[in-house]
Amino acid sequence: MNYQNVLGKVDTNIYEGKSNMTTTVISTYDKRLGKVYNELWNRYHKIYGHREDASQQFQNLLNMMKQKDAERKDALKKIDAEREENQGWFLSQNQVGYMLYIDLFAENLTGLKQKIKYLHELGVTYIHLMPFLKMPDEHNDGGYAVSSYTEIHKPFGTMKQFESVVDLCRELGMSVCSDFVINHTSKEHEWAQKARQGMEEYQDMYFMFDTYDIPAQYDKTVPEVFPKVSPGNFTYYEDMNKHVFTSFYEFQWDLNYQNPRVFNEIANCMMELANKGVEIFRLDAIPFMWKEIGTTCRNLDEIHDLIEMYRYVMKVVCPGVIFKGEAIVQPQEILSYFGGMEGKECHTMYNASFMVLLWNSIATKETAVMTEALCRYPQLPEKATWINYVRCHDDIGWGFDNDVLGQQGINWVEHTKYILKFFKGDFHTTFSKGEYYEFDEWKFDGRTSGTLASLCGLEWALESRDAYQQELAEKRIKLLHSIILSFSGIPVIYSGDELAQLNDWNYLTVENKAHDSRWLHRPSFDWEKAKKRHDVSTVEGRIFTDIKNRIETRKAYDIFRSDVPTYTIRTGADQVFTYFKKDEHETFVGLANFSEYPVYVPTHVLHQRGIWGNMQDLIQGKYVDVAKETILVGPYETLWLYQ
Ligand code: GLC
């Protein structure tokens, strides 16, 4: 390509990172751009080269980047410089995440600022703020319908207040992660409104069609995301006589990334937020970002070009920023969102399969399926890791690896039916209390909603005043957290789970929420419960203290770093999930009994891996001799053995 066309009169050698000029001082910005320039352009050209405006749009992008670099605060540039030196900073065992809705947790940003110390006390170093940008007042899918990427949703406060929260977090050593809705905007976004008024240049930013002919072709192969709560992939608007691509809800219009302007504008918004101090972007629903007729419009190759390009943009303007991607697909497919073994795309990805496997083990009280599935996990790039979580704001979709189920002699269809009923509470042996989500009664297929504590049996135990069941429920809650807090990857706690908050059945009485059972597990944060967190005679106190202790312990030992891999093994006692981490100096063995019976775990498989001798449990303090033939693990007990 002819750089002169794009860059005008500049020394293009700089951009290729090989300038010999001795008299000119090359700025940090130019050096960074020089390092990625060719790759960035090549990708851009690959995607947009067939368009006449490709070079102009590329130039626009470079201008935006230069501008945002000029606006970036010194405090943030300092972090950029440190992280360029230490690119694996997020792999430290100190990273512990917490996700929250600003309004549910603290009403607004002023409230959040006052409550940050609570999170600091728990040991959180990374706060994931659920969508907080301007959104429609009523129908907004919990904020996943963004009406402006540069304004805060009014009831939450102002951009100034947001910055002040972010600054405080930074002072306390906490990184702020912002949800970034990249696939669609709300239909109230300025671009959508201008499109609706008939302005063609804005209509090109979305997928809009005069007749149903083209949508009909898409509909042949594109599955629906919300077949029950919001059926269809397109919405017809009579006022403009157009069919609009709306993968999610009607009020969420899919952006058209085949238009380079969309890529640029979104890059600009992302840089703008990064300049407010956001250090982690949660890239929402990325598998949907590219659409082609004749495909499922999921996970298409071009998405990887787009994410790689966004990463280059960040590398130049705000290299301290990392991406967390949301793609709820099998782990082998997720590897592509890390950008393969070179790690060119997301730094972290949700470990949705692990989350599903943990719940599966809660229901089945055995761990063979989980262990076998985890053994098949791909190796990750050197500077990348998983986000491990047990619950989040979304439902649990039962995406099992069918091969693994088959290998264990389990019929997928029957098994999913069982799991669904189990967590709904429709089963005589269940302890769980949840809801179906997107449930298809004909196929008996669907997903599950509910808070961690209610799914673990606490709600039912409290209602039936069953002290024994309550004890088991508490143990399950601790056990699930214990696993994510000791595994390789960044553990992220879902707000309220550290206090064992129960389901919020009130959602059924709220008109625009009742149809979406995900609101069951989005209760307002209960500050009355939080007051009890230091009192271990209460459920809240016991759960909070256990999680806090484990966070402190995790931080104290290097073995918990995310770049020390975790291996899972089958010992012959499938009720007990067994995993270990090992490096030159330290060995860690985790054991978690998913059943209410004591189990003797054979140790020979550990011996085969060179794990012997006396080990100390880091939480309880007791010593366990691994040289013996078996280790006794009590009902729902977890051991963190260390040597
Ligand atoms: C993601 C979010 C989910 C939202 C959807 C549409 O999957 O996690 O809550 O409904 O994207 O933005």
Side-chain angles (χ1 to χ4, degrees):
M1 98 120 211
N2 181 357
Y3 292 113
Q4 292 298 331
N5 277 352
V6 172
L7 297 170
K9 288 186 194 123
V10 288
D11 172 8
T12 57
N13 281 331
I14 294 174
Y15 292 96
E16 286 163 357
K18 59 180 184 198
S19 180
N20 301 328
M21 291 185 295
T22 46
T23 47
T24 318
V25 179
I26 305 173
S27 70
T28 309
Y29 175 82
D30 281 335
K31 274 191 214 151
R32 286 180 185 148
L33 182 58
K35 282 194 196 146
V36 303
Y37 183 86
N38 284 343
E39 275 110 315
L40 178 58
W41 166 251
N42 287 342
R43 300 273 148 213
Y44 209 88
H45 186 70
K46 181 176 161 208
I47 297 277
Y48 301 121
H50 63 284
R51 294 176 54 117
E52 267 180 21
D53 62 345
S55 293
Q56 182 53 51
Q57 291 291 0
F58 190 63
Q59 180 63 60
N60 294 349
L61 176 65
L62 293 178
N63 293 345
M64 288 171 172
M65 289 162 65
K66 183 118 201 155
Q67 171 81 23
K68 288 289 178 269
D69 172 72
E71 290 165 6
R72 194 156 170 83
K73 288 194 280 202
D74 285 345
L76 300 177
K77 287 199 168 178
K78 191 171 157 253
I79 295 184
D80 290 336
E82 283 164 14
R83 290 187 180 164
E84 271 188 315
E85 288 301 309
N86 175 21
Q87 291 187 18
W89 63 273
F90 58 94
L91 302 173
S92 153
Q93 74 274 22
N94 287 330
Q95 293 299 330
V96 175
Y98 187 97
M99 60 186 291
L100 61 89
Y101 284 97
I102 294 174
D103 52 344
L104 298 179
F105 186 72
E107 207 174 316
N108 53 31
L109 286 163
T110 315
L112 178 60
K113 196 168 172 188
Q114 288 158 5
K115 303 274 161 60
I116 293 289
K117 49 183 183 303
Y118 167 82
L119 300 177
H120 192 54
E121 176 191 330
L122 182 60
V124 170
T125 58
Y126 144 16
I127 305 179
H128 168 192
L129 299 178
M130 297 297 289
F132 52 81
L133 294 171
K134 189 174 170 191
M135 62 182 97
D137 285 331
E138 291 227 330
H139 297 283
N140 56 39
D141 188 22
Y144 286 98
V146 176
S147 303
S148 163
Y149 290 92
T150 51
E151 288 166 71
I152 301 289
H153 186 47
K154 262 219 182 91
F156 295 177
T158 62
M159 192 52 94
K160 230 183 151 92
Q161 287 170 333
F162 174 73
E163 273 189 87
S164 127
V165 169
V166 177
D167 288 347
L168 174 64
C169 288
R170 206 170 42 251
E171 271 168 40
L172 294 171
M174 298 169 160
S175 304
V176 169
C177 165
S178 158
D179 233 292
F180 195 83
V181 187
I182 197 165
N183 175 69
H184 44 263
T185 72
S186 123
K187 68 176 180 188
E188 292 183 13
H189 192 285
E190 190 191 345
W191 305 333
Q193 286 191 338
K194 289 189 169 158
R196 199 152 182 177
Q197 285 155 17
M199 295 169 76
E200 250 179 59
E201 89 181 90
Y202 290 94
Q203 294 189 340
D204 284 348
M205 295 182 78
Y206 299 93
F207 291 89
M208 298 196 161
F209 305 97
D210 294 339
T211 65
Y212 182 62
D213 296 345
I214 298 176
Q217 292 186 47
Y218 278 110
D219 274 342
K220 277 188 202 155
T221 49
V222 182
E224 293 170 354
V225 184
F226 294 144
K228 293 280 165 195
V229 297
S230 177
N233 293 308
F234 291 86
T235 305
Y236 176 67
Y237 292 90
E238 216 174 84
D239 56 335
M240 56 174 170
N241 191 21
K242 291 226 186 272
H243 299 261
V244 180
F245 214 129
T246 50
S247 296
F248 292 85
Y249 278 107
E250 169 275 324
F251 49 85
Q252 292 161 309
W253 289 11
D254 288 61
L255 284 163
N256 174 13
Y257 279 91
Q258 286 163 15
N259 177 354
R261 182 159 168 226
V262 168
F263 179 87
N264 291 359
E265 294 291 349
I266 290 292
N268 208 27
C269 298
M270 219 189 274
M271 290 186 283
E272 175 78 21
L273 275 176
N275 277 358
K276 303 288 178 214
V278 169
E279 296 178 29
I280 302 154
F281 282 110
R282 174 196 183 270
L283 303 181
D284 180 58
I286 39 182
F288 297 83
M289 283 172 72
W290 195 267
K291 284 140 181 110
E292 294 286 353
I293 290 175
T295 71
T296 56
C297 294
R298 305 278 202 277
N299 304 303
L300 298 183
D301 289 348
E302 286 78 358
I303 298 168
H304 299 295
D305 296 309
L306 297 174
I307 298 174
E308 196 179 324
M309 288 196 284
Y310 280 127
R311 175 132 172 199
Y312 293 137
V313 171
M314 295 290 123
K315 258 189 161 174
V316 176
V317 180
C318 39
V321 168
I322 60 166
F323 288 155
K324 157 164 90 162
E326 188 221 15
I328 310 301
V329 292
Q330 286 300 317
Q332 288 75 9
E333 265 186 78
I334 292 190
L335 184 60
S336 66
Y337 287 100
F338 281 109
M341 285 314 282
E342 285 172 273
K344 288 178 163 185
E345 297 173 36
C346 295
H347 304 75
T348 68
M349 293 291 301
Y350 277 99
N351 199 349
S353 298
F354 190 24
M355 179 272 295
V356 167
L357 291 162
L358 287 167
W359 284 111
N360 184 57
S361 291
I362 286 285
T364 60
K365 302 181 183 179
E366 70 83 54
T367 65
V369 170
M370 173 155 65
T371 307
E372 293 293 340
L374 288 168
C375 286
R376 296 180 182 208
Y377 259 50
Q379 202 193 329
L380 294 190
E382 205 186 321
K383 296 216 164 49
T385 196
W386 294 106
I387 296 290
N388 292 323
Y389 64 111
V390 190
R391 282 304 286 120
C392 72
H393 66 294
D394 277 333
D395 51 286
I396 308 173
W398 300 106
F400 295 108
D401 179 334
N402 290 345
D403 266 8
V404 174
L405 288 189
Q407 186 201 35
Q408 297 301 310
I410 298 169
N411 174 302
W412 179 77
V413 178
E414 292 307 316
H415 187 66
T416 308
K417 276 187 200 168
Y418 161 74
I419 291 286
L420 275 167
K421 282 189 179 178
F422 186 92
F423 287 110
K424 168 106 166 48
D426 276 358
F427 217 76
H428 63 284
T429 56
T430 193
F431 43 75
S432 235
K433 248 191 136 178
E435 263 290 21
Y436 293 143
Y437 179 65
E438 282 293 337
F439 183 61
D440 182 329
E441 52 218 41
W442 294 107
K443 292 192 207 144
F444 211 98
D445 191 15
R447 287 130 67 168
T448 297
S449 290
T451 66
L452 183 138
S454 292
L455 295 180
C456 278
L458 189 62
E459 188 169 336
W460 178 66
L462 290 172
E463 271 170 11
S464 44
R465 296 169 188 254
D466 187 327
Y468 173 64
Q469 284 301 329
Q470 177 177 341
E471 187 188 327
L472 296 185
E474 286 183 31
K475 284 187 165 173
R476 290 182 200 108
I477 299 170
K478 291 180 187 167
L479 172 137
L480 290 171
H481 281 111
S482 155
I483 294 173
I484 61 161
L485 286 168
S486 54
F487 238 71
S488 313
I490 303 176
V492 175
I493 295 163
Y494 182 54
S495 181
D497 284 349
E498 77 282 12
L499 296 171
Q501 266 195 251
L502 303 177
N503 287 332
D504 177 9
W505 294 96
N506 279 331
Y507 87 97
L508 288 167
T509 62
V510 183
E511 201 206 322
N512 59 0
K513 291 185 176 161
H515 68 289
D516 189 334
S517 70
R518 291 178 299 174
W519 290 100
L520 178 64
H521 51 256
R522 297 173 186 170
S524 288
F525 190 86
D526 190 337
W527 287 100
E528 286 307 309
K529 278 183 181 283
K531 283 186 191 153
K532 299 187 205 154
R533 67 186 182 278
H534 302 133
D535 177 358
V536 288
S537 71
T538 64
V539 183
E540 295 80 5
R542 286 189 292 272
I543 301 294
F544 185 90
T545 309
D546 187 73
I547 294 178
K548 185 172 181 293
N549 280 347
R550 288 181 194 274
I551 292 175
E552 269 167 27
T553 308
R554 175 185 168 94
K555 289 184 182 177
Y557 295 88
D558 283 346
I559 192 75
F560 292 117
R561 284 185 59 81
S562 290
D563 48 3
V564 181
T566 307
Y567 299 99
T568 53
I569 34 173
R570 281 183 77 183
T571 56
D574 282 338
Q575 302 93 323
V576 179
F577 183 48
T578 307
Y579 53 104
F580 70 91
K581 303 186 79 173
K582 204 171 183 326
D583 68 10
E584 273 169 55
H585 312 287
E586 297 171 292
T587 303
F588 167 80
V589 179
L591 294 128
N593 185 351
F594 276 78
S595 78
E596 64 260 52
Y597 308 104
V599 177
Y600 283 96
V601 176
T603 48
H604 65 277
V605 205
L606 290 172
H607 300 162
Q608 283 162 9
R609 272 126 182 123
I611 301 170
W612 286 95
N614 223 8
M615 298 186 82
Q616 188 175 21
D617 182 284
L618 292 176
I619 303 297
Q620 305 176 44
K622 70 180 175 188
Y623 284 90
V624 173
D625 189 357
V626 179
K628 288 198 177 148
E629 272 176 25
T630 55
I631 301 171
L632 176 64
V633 190
Y636 288 112
E637 189 186 14
T638 58
L639 296 177
W640 280 20
L641 302 183
Y642 177 81
Q643 196 178 49

